[in-house]
Each structure stands twice: as C-alpha cells, then as structure tokens.
Amino acid sequence: MSGQALRDLNTLIRSEKKYECSSKGSLAKPYIENTNGNLEKRKSNVSATEMSINGSGDELANPVTEAGNAEVEYIESGKLNDVQDVDMTLKTLLGGLDSKDWVLVCEALNNVRRLSIFHKDALLDLFRGNLISLIVKSLKNPRSAVCKTAIMTSADIFNAYSNHIVDSLDPLLVQLLLKSSQDKRFVCEAAERALVAMTTWVSPILLLPKLEPYLKHKNPRIRAKASFCFSRSVPQLGVEGIKAYGIDKLIKISASQLSDQLPESREAARTLLLELQSVYEKSCIVTPSTSEDPEICSWEHFCQTRLSPLSAQAVLRVTNIAREGLVLGS
C-alpha cells in the first residue's frame, strides 16, 4: 500500500472513531429525559381526570407509546360519586362535552351520569338545549373510550329519565343500534346493555313506534338489534296493552322477521310469537257463535286468517314446535 493511501486510511479511521464517541455522548440521554417527562405529565393528566388503567386491554393498552393516550376507567353507575359543585359542573358541562380534548369529553360525560343519578332535575333544562346532540356527537366519536363512555351515559339517562327522554330518543336510538352491531366487542356489549336499559325504562307504547322503522333497515345487523329490542318491549305492554296495540299488527311484524337473514332476528321473532300466542289464547273469549265451532277461536285459525299461507305456516311451525317441546318436557 502506498504511503499516501495509508495516510488516507488512518485519517478515515480516526474520523469514524471520533464520530462514534460524539454519537455515544450526545444521543440517548436527551431522548430518555424527554420520554420520562412526557410519562410524568401523562400520569398527572390521568390522575387529574379520574383516569386509570383499564385491565380489559380493549383500548389504548400502552399509554406511553402514543402521545396523548390514556385509558379511561369505565365506572359502573353504582360506583359513581356525586359532583362536588353542582352549579360549577352545570356551567362547564356543555363546554366539556364539546371539547377537542377527548379526556375532558369523557370527564364531562361522567359528570352527566353523576348529575342524572344525584341531581336528576338539574339536567332537565339542558335536555331542551343541545345536551343530547353533544352526547350523540360523542357516540359518533372514532375513539372507543369516548364512544363507550357516551354509551354508558345513555344507559344512565334512560334509567333516570325514562319517558322524559322520548322526544330526544331518535338520534340516540340510531347510534346505539349502530354501535351494538359493530365488531368492536367491548363497545358492542356496552351498547347492548344500553338498549336493554332503554327497553326496561322507556314505555313500550312510546318506544315500539320508534323501533318499527328499523325492523326494515337495509343493514341486517341493525334489523337484528331492533328485533331484539322490539321483542323485549312488547311483553311489557301486558295482555291488555298488546290487545290495544293490535295482535294482528304484531303477528305480521313477527312473521316478517322469521325469514330474516340473521339468526338473531329470527330468534327474536320466535320469542315474540310465543308471547303473542300466549296472550291470544288467554284473551280469546268464547261466544255463542264460536262455541259451536271452537276452531274459530284457535290460534291456528287466527294465524291463517291474518297471514298469507306461507307466513301462517312458518308461524305455526314455530309455535307448534315450542308447544310440543313443553309437552315432552313435562
């Protein structure tokens, strides 16, 4: 190797060693310090807004890896504490719900829950404003933590206000049907619980007309959840209420759901048909004209005279199989 080439090689080696030393001395420390500072800041944010790690692992499992991430503690209704200052909470509530900071939105949603439980009358005026529209906005939020907290808020509202919420029910209903039919399991299950609360606390005579359009929705999953709600709500009418609403109308609705695409819709229809059969047989009054021909008052005759031949056959197959099962079980 020539003397000039050797000098060039030695120069290159020295410069590389110098670069390595300067790199080792200048890289990792500032990054680690910055990360630790961010972590402490995030921890303080979590503590300040009643956030904690949610062991379900469904959402935001690592609050350190993504900037601004924290995990919401989904507090059950019975474990919620009262707000410290009702007036201040009311003043800041709408602003919190409309905030661009998702953590503040979750905190505001939990305050709606607290107020509906501990200070029910305090929220009534806000229902006449844009409170429901802001909750619906949170239901549409792509962040699952916000969406699930809004779903839990909806359930508490149904529980607290029942029929007082009917005029504002439509936008909540469509979002809950959508969320209960999506693939993210922990959101879906929360939405199903909210729908159960709705069918439990909202009067069926007011709820059923709002559910009916969704029984024909183009989305089969939404139809299935609507069928589930419908089948839960009808029995709460009671015998006289079902007769007043119209057994004829209800049996036609149920028969149409028997041929639905999803098993959940068909199962809801079968459950409802058995309820309608029971109500019909309890309420069928024997008159002089029917005493001569008891078949006129039978469930079979009722189905055959109210439904198309194919629908009547499908309905009778369902109810007869159930009856045979009861006989065999006894």
Side-chain angles (χ1 to χ4, degrees):
M1 182 178 292
S2 67
Q4 181 62 38
L6 182 59
R7 283 193 297 273
D8 290 344
L9 180 58
N10 289 335
T11 302
L12 178 60
I13 292 172
R14 284 195 299 270
S15 64
E16 286 179 350
K17 288 182 177 179
K18 183 178 179 181
Y19 175 77
E20 288 176 4
C21 293
S22 63
S23 297
K24 290 178 182 177
S26 63
L27 283 181
K29 286 184 180 179
Y31 179 76
I32 292 173
E33 290 170 2
N34 186 41
T35 302
N36 289 340
N38 287 341
L39 179 58
E40 290 301 319
K41 184 177 179 181
R42 288 172 196 155
K43 285 183 179 178
S44 64
N45 286 341
V46 170
S47 175
T49 53
E50 293 188 44
M51 300 293 170
S52 68
I53 293 176
N54 173 25
S56 65
D58 290 314
E59 177 70 7
L60 306 176
N62 189 350
V64 179
T65 56
E66 296 182 60
N69 281 0
E71 291 196 8
V72 177
E73 180 185 7
Y74 302 113
I75 310 170
E76 296 299 326
S77 302
K79 297 181 180 179
L80 282 168
N81 296 320
D82 194 358
V83 296
Q84 293 181 353
D85 188 332
V86 176
D87 292 335
M88 182 58 66
T89 302
L90 287 170
K91 287 179 182 179
T92 59
L93 191 63
L94 297 182
L97 290 172
D98 203 25
S99 174
K100 293 182 179 180
D101 184 338
W102 70 272
V103 175
L104 293 180
V105 174
C106 288
E107 184 178 3
L109 287 166
N110 279 327
N111 282 337
V112 173
R113 299 174 66 201
R114 293 183 179 96
L115 290 169
S116 68
I117 293 170
F118 297 103
H119 306 278
K120 181 177 175 180
D121 295 337
L123 279 181
L124 288 175
D125 288 338
L126 295 181
F127 280 127
R128 302 183 187 100
N130 61 340
L131 175 62
I132 294 298
S133 63
L134 289 173
I135 294 173
V136 170
K137 179 182 176 182
S138 293
L139 287 169
K140 296 178 180 179
N141 195 298
R143 186 179 287 274
S144 298
V146 176
C147 179
K148 181 172 177 178
T149 307
I151 291 170
M152 297 175 76
T153 304
S154 301
D156 287 331
I157 286 174
F158 293 140
N159 191 342
Y161 298 98
S162 56
N163 295 340
H164 295 290
I165 199 69
V166 167
D167 292 338
S168 306
L169 182 60
D170 289 320
L172 287 175
L173 175 58
V174 65
Q175 287 303 314
L176 291 174
L177 289 172
L178 284 168
K179 300 306 176 186
S180 66
S181 59
Q182 72 167 36
D183 293 327
K184 191 166 288 186
R185 183 176 175 182
F186 80 116
V187 172
C188 177
E189 290 175 349
E192 287 179 346
R193 288 192 292 270
L195 290 173
V196 168
M198 179 187 70
T199 57
T200 301
W201 298 107
V202 178
S203 168
I205 200 69
L206 300 173
L207 180 59
L208 290 173
K210 293 185 177 294
L211 287 169
E212 281 188 41
Y214 297 104
L215 298 174
K216 299 178 181 179
H217 198 277
K218 62 182 180 181
N219 185 326
R221 290 187 176 185
I222 291 179
R223 286 200 309 270
K225 298 303 179 183
S227 297
F228 166 76
C229 293
F230 200 85
S231 68
R232 273 187 55 87
S233 194
V234 168
Q236 297 190 51
L237 287 168
V239 173
E240 295 304 318
I242 289 175
K243 288 165 62 179
Y245 197 87
I247 294 183
D248 296 40
K249 178 181 180 179
L250 291 170
I251 194 176
K252 289 175 182 177
I253 291 173
S254 302
S256 68
Q257 296 300 110
L258 277 179
S259 57
D260 194 85
Q261 177 180 345
L262 290 184
E264 188 176 356
S265 292
R266 300 194 295 270
E267 181 60 32
R270 285 192 285 268
T271 300
L272 182 52
L273 284 168
L274 294 174
E275 178 70 23
L276 295 176
Q277 180 188 20
S278 176
V279 169
Y280 177 79
E281 291 177 345
K282 288 177 182 177
S283 61
C284 184
I285 301 173
V286 178
T287 63
S289 60
T290 60
S291 60
E292 298 176 0
D293 187 3
E295 288 297 320
I296 295 177
C297 196
S298 68
W299 170 249
E300 288 77 9
H301 182 266
F302 176 77
C303 293
Q304 290 165 355
T305 55
R306 266 65 173 187
L307 301 170
S308 68
L310 285 177
S311 293
Q313 184 179 11
V315 168
L316 291 173
R317 186 185 303 116
V318 167
T319 53
N320 287 339
I321 288 174
R323 179 178 294 171
E324 289 170 4
L326 289 173
V327 172
L328 290 173
S330 61

PDB file of all heavy atoms in Angstrom, residues 95-124:
ATOM      1  N   GLY A  95     -69.440  22.873  27.623  1.00  0.00           N
ATOM      2  CA  GLY A  95     -68.113  23.142  27.085  1.00  0.00           C
ATOM      3  C   GLY A  95     -67.224  21.917  27.123  1.00  0.00           C
ATOM      4  O   GLY A  95     -66.460  21.659  26.185  1.00  0.00           O
ATOM      5  N   GLY A  96     -67.317  21.145  28.195  1.00  0.00           N
ATOM      6  CA  GLY A  96     -66.538  19.914  28.292  1.00  0.00           C
ATOM      7  C   GLY A  96     -66.957  18.891  27.259  1.00  0.00           C
ATOM      8  O   GLY A  96     -66.120  18.225  26.644  1.00  0.00           O
ATOM      9  N   LEU A  97     -68.267  18.768  27.042  1.00  0.00           N
ATOM     10  CA  LEU A  97     -68.762  17.809  26.054  1.00  0.00           C
ATOM     11  C   LEU A  97     -68.349  18.183  24.638  1.00  0.00           C
ATOM     12  O   LEU A  97     -68.201  17.324  23.773  1.00  0.00           O
ATOM     13  CB  LEU A  97     -70.289  17.714  26.132  1.00  0.00           C
ATOM     14  CG  LEU A  97     -70.866  17.048  27.382  1.00  0.00           C
ATOM     15  CD1 LEU A  97     -72.375  17.216  27.411  1.00  0.00           C
ATOM     16  CD2 LEU A  97     -70.497  15.572  27.441  1.00  0.00           C
ATOM     17  N   ASP A  98     -68.175  19.483  24.403  1.00  0.00           N
ATOM     18  CA  ASP A  98     -67.820  19.962  23.063  1.00  0.00           C
ATOM     19  C   ASP A  98     -66.315  20.177  22.906  1.00  0.00           C
ATOM     20  O   ASP A  98     -65.861  20.713  21.892  1.00  0.00           O
ATOM     21  CB  ASP A  98     -68.557  21.276  22.784  1.00  0.00           C
ATOM     22  CG  ASP A  98     -68.715  21.544  21.289  1.00  0.00           C
ATOM     23  OD1 ASP A  98     -68.707  20.575  20.503  1.00  0.00           O
ATOM     24  OD2 ASP A  98     -68.826  22.722  20.905  1.00  0.00           O
ATOM     25  N   SER A  99     -65.542  19.770  23.899  1.00  0.00           N
ATOM     26  CA  SER A  99     -64.098  19.989  23.880  1.00  0.00           C
ATOM     27  C   SER A  99     -63.421  19.126  22.814  1.00  0.00           C
ATOM     28  O   SER A  99     -63.921  18.064  22.436  1.00  0.00           O
ATOM     29  CB  SER A  99     -63.499  19.663  25.255  1.00  0.00           C
ATOM     30  OG  SER A  99     -62.099  19.726  25.220  1.00  0.00           O
ATOM     31  N   LYS A 100     -62.266  19.588  22.350  1.00  0.00           N
ATOM     32  CA  LYS A 100     -61.464  18.801  21.420  1.00  0.00           C
ATOM     33  C   LYS A 100     -60.536  17.848  22.162  1.00  0.00           C
ATOM     34  O   LYS A 100     -59.899  16.989  21.540  1.00  0.00           O
ATOM     35  CB  LYS A 100     -60.653  19.726  20.521  1.00  0.00           C
ATOM     36  CG  LYS A 100     -61.518  20.550  19.563  1.00  0.00           C
ATOM     37  CD  LYS A 100     -60.672  21.420  18.654  1.00  0.00           C
ATOM     38  CE  LYS A 100     -61.561  22.216  17.700  1.00  0.00           C
ATOM     39  NZ  LYS A 100     -60.761  23.083  16.802  1.00  0.00           N
ATOM     40  N   ASP A 101     -60.456  18.010  23.471  1.00  0.00           N
ATOM     41  CA  ASP A 101     -59.654  17.120  24.316  1.00  0.00           C
ATOM     42  C   ASP A 101     -60.527  15.945  24.747  1.00  0.00           C
ATOM     43  O   ASP A 101     -61.475  16.104  25.513  1.00  0.00           O
ATOM     44  CB  ASP A 101     -59.149  17.888  25.543  1.00  0.00           C
ATOM     45  CG  ASP A 101     -58.217  17.059  26.420  1.00  0.00           C
ATOM     46  OD1 ASP A 101     -58.276  15.814  26.352  1.00  0.00           O
ATOM     47  OD2 ASP A 101     -57.447  17.656  27.187  1.00  0.00           O
ATOM     48  N   TRP A 102     -60.210  14.752  24.250  1.00  0.00           N
ATOM     49  CA  TRP A 102     -61.092  13.606  24.497  1.00  0.00           C
ATOM     50  C   TRP A 102     -61.165  13.248  25.974  1.00  0.00           C
ATOM     51  O   TRP A 102     -62.177  12.718  26.436  1.00  0.00           O
ATOM     52  CB  TRP A 102     -60.638  12.407  23.671  1.00  0.00           C
ATOM     53  CG  TRP A 102     -59.362  11.770  24.095  1.00  0.00           C
ATOM     54  CD1 TRP A 102     -58.109  12.103  23.695  1.00  0.00           C
ATOM     55  CD2 TRP A 102     -59.207  10.670  24.998  1.00  0.00           C
ATOM     56  NE1 TRP A 102     -57.183  11.288  24.288  1.00  0.00           N
ATOM     57  CE2 TRP A 102     -57.818  10.396  25.084  1.00  0.00           C
ATOM     58  CE3 TRP A 102     -60.089   9.892  25.736  1.00  0.00           C
ATOM     59  CZ2 TRP A 102     -57.316   9.381  25.885  1.00  0.00           C
ATOM     60  CZ3 TRP A 102     -59.591   8.880  26.534  1.00  0.00           C
ATOM     61  CH2 TRP A 102     -58.224   8.629  26.602  1.00  0.00           C
ATOM     62  N   VAL A 103     -60.100  13.536  26.725  1.00  0.00           N
ATOM     63  CA  VAL A 103     -60.123  13.243  28.158  1.00  0.00           C
ATOM     64  C   VAL A 103     -61.149  14.127  28.862  1.00  0.00           C
ATOM     65  O   VAL A 103     -61.903  13.669  29.731  1.00  0.00           O
ATOM     66  CB  VAL A 103     -58.716  13.441  28.769  1.00  0.00           C
ATOM     67  CG1 VAL A 103     -58.759  13.256  30.278  1.00  0.00           C
ATOM     68  CG2 VAL A 103     -57.720  12.477  28.156  1.00  0.00           C
ATOM     69  N   LEU A 104     -61.209  15.388  28.474  1.00  0.00           N
ATOM     70  CA  LEU A 104     -62.205  16.298  29.051  1.00  0.00           C
ATOM     71  C   LEU A 104     -63.618  15.885  28.660  1.00  0.00           C
ATOM     72  O   LEU A 104     -64.557  16.036  29.442  1.00  0.00           O
ATOM     73  CB  LEU A 104     -61.929  17.740  28.597  1.00  0.00           C
ATOM     74  CG  LEU A 104     -60.645  18.394  29.126  1.00  0.00           C
ATOM     75  CD1 LEU A 104     -60.518  19.809  28.593  1.00  0.00           C
ATOM     76  CD2 LEU A 104     -60.627  18.385  30.650  1.00  0.00           C
ATOM     77  N   VAL A 105     -63.769  15.384  27.441  1.00  0.00           N
ATOM     78  CA  VAL A 105     -65.090  14.912  26.993  1.00  0.00           C
ATOM     79  C   VAL A 105     -65.553  13.744  27.858  1.00  0.00           C
ATOM     80  O   VAL A 105     -66.703  13.701  28.314  1.00  0.00           O
ATOM     81  CB  VAL A 105     -65.055  14.507  25.505  1.00  0.00           C
ATOM     82  CG1 VAL A 105     -66.391  13.892  25.090  1.00  0.00           C
ATOM     83  CG2 VAL A 105     -64.747  15.703  24.619  1.00  0.00           C
ATOM     84  N   CYS A 106     -64.654  12.806  28.113  1.00  0.00           N
ATOM     85  CA  CYS A 106     -65.010  11.663  28.969  1.00  0.00           C
ATOM     86  C   CYS A 106     -65.363  12.122  30.377  1.00  0.00           C
ATOM     87  O   CYS A 106     -66.307  11.601  30.990  1.00  0.00           O
ATOM     88  CB  CYS A 106     -63.858  10.661  29.012  1.00  0.00           C
ATOM     89  SG  CYS A 106     -63.623   9.718  27.489  1.00  0.00           S
ATOM     90  N   GLU A 107     -64.621  13.071  30.893  1.00  0.00           N
ATOM     91  CA  GLU A 107     -64.915  13.587  32.225  1.00  0.00           C
ATOM     92  C   GLU A 107     -66.289  14.256  32.251  1.00  0.00           C
ATOM     93  O   GLU A 107     -67.067  14.072  33.195  1.00  0.00           O
ATOM     94  CB  GLU A 107     -63.829  14.592  32.637  1.00  0.00           C
ATOM     95  CG  GLU A 107     -63.989  15.112  34.061  1.00  0.00           C
ATOM     96  CD  GLU A 107     -62.878  16.072  34.452  1.00  0.00           C
ATOM     97  OE1 GLU A 107     -62.028  16.376  33.604  1.00  0.00           O
ATOM     98  OE2 GLU A 107     -62.884  16.517  35.619  1.00  0.00           O
ATOM     99  N   ALA A 108     -66.598  15.031  31.194  1.00  0.00           N
ATOM    100  CA  ALA A 108     -67.908  15.685  31.121  1.00  0.00           C
ATOM    101  C   ALA A 108     -69.042  14.661  30.999  1.00  0.00           C
ATOM    102  O   ALA A 108     -70.104  14.823  31.612  1.00  0.00           O
ATOM    103  CB  ALA A 108     -67.935  16.655  29.940  1.00  0.00           C
ATOM    104  N   LEU A 109     -68.821  13.609  30.230  1.00  0.00           N
ATOM    105  CA  LEU A 109     -69.826  12.553  30.107  1.00  0.00           C
ATOM    106  C   LEU A 109     -70.089  11.886  31.454  1.00  0.00           C
ATOM    107  O   LEU A 109     -71.253  11.621  31.817  1.00  0.00           O
ATOM    108  CB  LEU A 109     -69.381  11.513  29.079  1.00  0.00           C
ATOM    109  CG  LEU A 109     -69.430  11.932  27.611  1.00  0.00           C
ATOM    110  CD1 LEU A 109     -68.660  10.953  26.746  1.00  0.00           C
ATOM    111  CD2 LEU A 109     -70.867  12.059  27.131  1.00  0.00           C
ATOM    112  N   ASN A 110     -69.046  11.632  32.205  1.00  0.00           N
ATOM    113  CA  ASN A 110     -69.226  11.050  33.535  1.00  0.00           C
ATOM    114  C   ASN A 110     -69.950  12.012  34.467  1.00  0.00           C
ATOM    115  O   ASN A 110     -70.700  11.586  35.358  1.00  0.00           O
ATOM    116  CB  ASN A 110     -67.881  10.638  34.127  1.00  0.00           C
ATOM    117  CG  ASN A 110     -67.406   9.286  33.604  1.00  0.00           C
ATOM    118  OD1 ASN A 110     -68.215   8.403  33.321  1.00  0.00           O
ATOM    119  ND2 ASN A 110     -66.109   9.121  33.453  1.00  0.00           N
ATOM    120  N   ASN A 111     -69.759  13.316  34.267  1.00  0.00           N
ATOM    121  CA  ASN A 111     -70.500  14.298  35.061  1.00  0.00           C
ATOM    122  C   ASN A 111     -71.984  14.308  34.700  1.00  0.00           C
ATOM    123  O   ASN A 111     -72.834  14.524  35.565  1.00  0.00           O
ATOM    124  CB  ASN A 111     -69.897  15.690  34.884  1.00  0.00           C
ATOM    125  CG  ASN A 111     -68.631  15.885  35.696  1.00  0.00           C
ATOM    126  OD1 ASN A 111     -68.412  15.183  36.692  1.00  0.00           O
ATOM    127  ND2 ASN A 111     -67.783  16.811  35.293  1.00  0.00           N
ATOM    128  N   VAL A 112     -72.292  14.072  33.423  1.00  0.00           N
ATOM    129  CA  VAL A 112     -73.698  13.917  33.029  1.00  0.00           C
ATOM    130  C   VAL A 112     -74.307  12.731  33.768  1.00  0.00           C
ATOM    131  O   VAL A 112     -75.437  12.805  34.274  1.00  0.00           O
ATOM    132  CB  VAL A 112     -73.828  13.721  31.497  1.00  0.00           C
ATOM    133  CG1 VAL A 112     -75.269  13.378  31.123  1.00  0.00           C
ATOM    134  CG2 VAL A 112     -73.391  14.971  30.753  1.00  0.00           C
ATOM    135  N   ARG A 113     -73.562  11.663  33.864  1.00  0.00           N
ATOM    136  CA  ARG A 113     -74.039  10.474  34.569  1.00  0.00           C
ATOM    137  C   ARG A 113     -74.273  10.789  36.049  1.00  0.00           C
ATOM    138  O   ARG A 113     -75.296  10.396  36.625  1.00  0.00           O
ATOM    139  CB  ARG A 113     -73.034   9.336  34.420  1.00  0.00           C
ATOM    140  CG  ARG A 113     -72.792   8.900  32.974  1.00  0.00           C
ATOM    141  CD  ARG A 113     -71.683   7.873  32.884  1.00  0.00           C
ATOM    142  NE  ARG A 113     -72.079   6.633  33.544  1.00  0.00           N
ATOM    143  CZ  ARG A 113     -71.219   5.726  33.980  1.00  0.00           C
ATOM    144  NH1 ARG A 113     -69.913   5.920  33.864  1.00  0.00           N
ATOM    145  NH2 ARG A 113     -71.653   4.618  34.548  1.00  0.00           N
ATOM    146  N   ARG A 114     -73.302  11.480  36.663  1.00  0.00           N
ATOM    147  CA  ARG A 114     -73.430  11.821  38.087  1.00  0.00           C
ATOM    148  C   ARG A 114     -74.652  12.701  38.331  1.00  0.00           C
ATOM    149  O   ARG A 114     -75.409  12.493  39.285  1.00  0.00           O
ATOM    150  CB  ARG A 114     -72.160  12.524  38.558  1.00  0.00           C
ATOM    151  CG  ARG A 114     -70.924  11.646  38.570  1.00  0.00           C
ATOM    152  CD  ARG A 114     -69.725  12.398  39.123  1.00  0.00           C
ATOM    153  NE  ARG A 114     -68.548  11.550  39.158  1.00  0.00           N
ATOM    154  CZ  ARG A 114     -67.614  11.519  38.210  1.00  0.00           C
ATOM    155  NH1 ARG A 114     -67.701  12.327  37.166  1.00  0.00           N
ATOM    156  NH2 ARG A 114     -66.585  10.698  38.310  1.00  0.00           N
ATOM    157  N   LEU A 115     -74.822  13.691  37.473  1.00  0.00           N
ATOM    158  CA  LEU A 115     -75.960  14.604  37.647  1.00  0.00           C
ATOM    159  C   LEU A 115     -77.283  13.878  37.448  1.00  0.00           C
ATOM    160  O   LEU A 115     -78.259  14.144  38.156  1.00  0.00           O
ATOM    161  CB  LEU A 115     -75.843  15.772  36.667  1.00  0.00           C
ATOM    162  CG  LEU A 115     -74.715  16.776  36.955  1.00  0.00           C
ATOM    163  CD1 LEU A 115     -74.537  17.725  35.775  1.00  0.00           C
ATOM    164  CD2 LEU A 115     -75.008  17.567  38.232  1.00  0.00           C
ATOM    165  N   SER A 116     -77.340  12.956  36.495  1.00  0.00           N
ATOM    166  CA  SER A 116     -78.591  12.225  36.255  1.00  0.00           C
ATOM    167  C   SER A 116     -78.938  11.302  37.420  1.00  0.00           C
ATOM    168  O   SER A 116     -80.110  11.007  37.660  1.00  0.00           O
ATOM    169  CB  SER A 116     -78.490  11.418  34.957  1.00  0.00           C
ATOM    170  OG  SER A 116     -77.552  10.367  35.081  1.00  0.00           O
ATOM    171  N   ILE A 117     -77.918  10.880  38.163  1.00  0.00           N
ATOM    172  CA  ILE A 117     -78.151   9.987  39.302  1.00  0.00           C
ATOM    173  C   ILE A 117     -78.440  10.766  40.581  1.00  0.00           C
ATOM    174  O   ILE A 117     -79.392  10.467  41.313  1.00  0.00           O
ATOM    175  CB  ILE A 117     -76.929   9.064  39.513  1.00  0.00           C
ATOM    176  CG1 ILE A 117     -76.793   8.098  38.327  1.00  0.00           C
ATOM    177  CG2 ILE A 117     -77.054   8.280  40.821  1.00  0.00           C
ATOM    178  CD1 ILE A 117     -75.496   7.309  38.317  1.00  0.00           C
ATOM    179  N   PHE A 118     -77.627  11.817  40.844  1.00  0.00           N
ATOM    180  CA  PHE A 118     -77.715  12.517  42.127  1.00  0.00           C
ATOM    181  C   PHE A 118     -78.504  13.832  42.066  1.00  0.00           C
ATOM    182  O   PHE A 118     -78.981  14.302  43.096  1.00  0.00           O
ATOM    183  CB  PHE A 118     -76.304  12.809  42.658  1.00  0.00           C
ATOM    184  CG  PHE A 118     -75.496  11.575  42.946  1.00  0.00           C
ATOM    185  CD1 PHE A 118     -74.495  11.162  42.075  1.00  0.00           C
ATOM    186  CD2 PHE A 118     -75.733  10.815  44.083  1.00  0.00           C
ATOM    187  CE1 PHE A 118     -73.744  10.025  42.330  1.00  0.00           C
ATOM    188  CE2 PHE A 118     -74.983   9.679  44.351  1.00  0.00           C
ATOM    189  CZ  PHE A 118     -73.995   9.282  43.476  1.00  0.00           C
ATOM    190  N   HIS A 119     -78.637  14.413  40.875  1.00  0.00           N
ATOM    191  CA  HIS A 119     -79.321  15.706  40.739  1.00  0.00           C
ATOM    192  C   HIS A 119     -80.171  15.684  39.468  1.00  0.00           C
ATOM    193  O   HIS A 119     -79.957  16.456  38.534  1.00  0.00           O
ATOM    194  CB  HIS A 119     -78.306  16.855  40.695  1.00  0.00           C
ATOM    195  CG  HIS A 119     -77.351  16.857  41.852  1.00  0.00           C
ATOM    196  ND1 HIS A 119     -77.674  17.384  43.087  1.00  0.00           N
ATOM    197  CD2 HIS A 119     -76.089  16.359  41.956  1.00  0.00           C
ATOM    198  CE1 HIS A 119     -76.639  17.227  43.912  1.00  0.00           C
ATOM    199  NE2 HIS A 119     -75.678  16.603  43.260  1.00  0.00           N
ATOM    200  N   LYS A 120     -81.121  14.778  39.474  1.00  0.00           N
ATOM    201  CA  LYS A 120     -81.910  14.490  38.279  1.00  0.00           C
ATOM    202  C   LYS A 120     -82.559  15.732  37.668  1.00  0.00           C
ATOM    203  O   LYS A 120     -82.514  15.944  36.448  1.00  0.00           O
ATOM    204  CB  LYS A 120     -82.985  13.455  38.648  1.00  0.00           C
ATOM    205  CG  LYS A 120     -83.873  13.026  37.510  1.00  0.00           C
ATOM    206  CD  LYS A 120     -84.828  11.961  38.006  1.00  0.00           C
ATOM    207  CE  LYS A 120     -85.832  11.573  36.936  1.00  0.00           C
ATOM    208  NZ  LYS A 120     -86.764  10.528  37.405  1.00  0.00           N
ATOM    209  N   ASP A 121     -83.141  16.577  38.504  1.00  0.00           N
ATOM    210  CA  ASP A 121     -83.863  17.743  37.992  1.00  0.00           C
ATOM    211  C   ASP A 121     -82.932  18.790  37.393  1.00  0.00           C
ATOM    212  O   ASP A 121     -83.360  19.604  36.565  1.00  0.00           O
ATOM    213  CB  ASP A 121     -84.694  18.386  39.111  1.00  0.00           C
ATOM    214  CG  ASP A 121     -85.802  17.463  39.594  1.00  0.00           C
ATOM    215  OD1 ASP A 121     -86.197  16.573  38.813  1.00  0.00           O
ATOM    216  OD2 ASP A 121     -86.258  17.626  40.738  1.00  0.00           O
ATOM    217  N   ALA A 122     -81.676  18.781  37.781  1.00  0.00           N
ATOM    218  CA  ALA A 122     -80.752  19.819  37.338  1.00  0.00           C
ATOM    219  C   ALA A 122     -80.470  19.756  35.842  1.00  0.00           C
ATOM    220  O   ALA A 122     -80.134  20.770  35.221  1.00  0.00           O
ATOM    221  CB  ALA A 122     -79.437  19.708  38.113  1.00  0.00           C
ATOM    222  N   LEU A 123     -80.623  18.580  35.249  1.00  0.00           N
ATOM    223  CA  LEU A 123     -80.310  18.420  33.828  1.00  0.00           C
ATOM    224  C   LEU A 123     -81.489  18.659  32.902  1.00  0.00           C
ATOM    225  O   LEU A 123     -81.304  18.736  31.679  1.00  0.00           O
ATOM    226  CB  LEU A 123     -79.766  17.006  33.563  1.00  0.00           C
ATOM    227  CG  LEU A 123     -78.291  16.734  33.874  1.00  0.00           C
ATOM    228  CD1 LEU A 123     -77.953  15.292  33.524  1.00  0.00           C
ATOM    229  CD2 LEU A 123     -77.379  17.667  33.106  1.00  0.00           C
ATOM    230  N   LEU A 124     -82.684  18.770  33.453  1.00  0.00           N
ATOM    231  CA  LEU A 124     -83.878  18.841  32.607  1.00  0.00           C
ATOM    232  C   LEU A 124     -83.828  20.003  31.623  1.00  0.00           C
ATOM    233  O   LEU A 124     -84.205  19.868  30.451  1.00  0.00           O
ATOM    234  CB  LEU A 124     -85.135  18.928  33.478  1.00  0.00           C
ATOM    235  CG  LEU A 124     -85.506  17.626  34.208  1.00  0.00           C
ATOM    236  CD1 LEU A 124     -86.686  17.858  35.137  1.00  0.00           C
ATOM    237  CD2 LEU A 124     -85.822  16.517  33.215  1.00  0.00           C
TER     238      LEU A 124
END
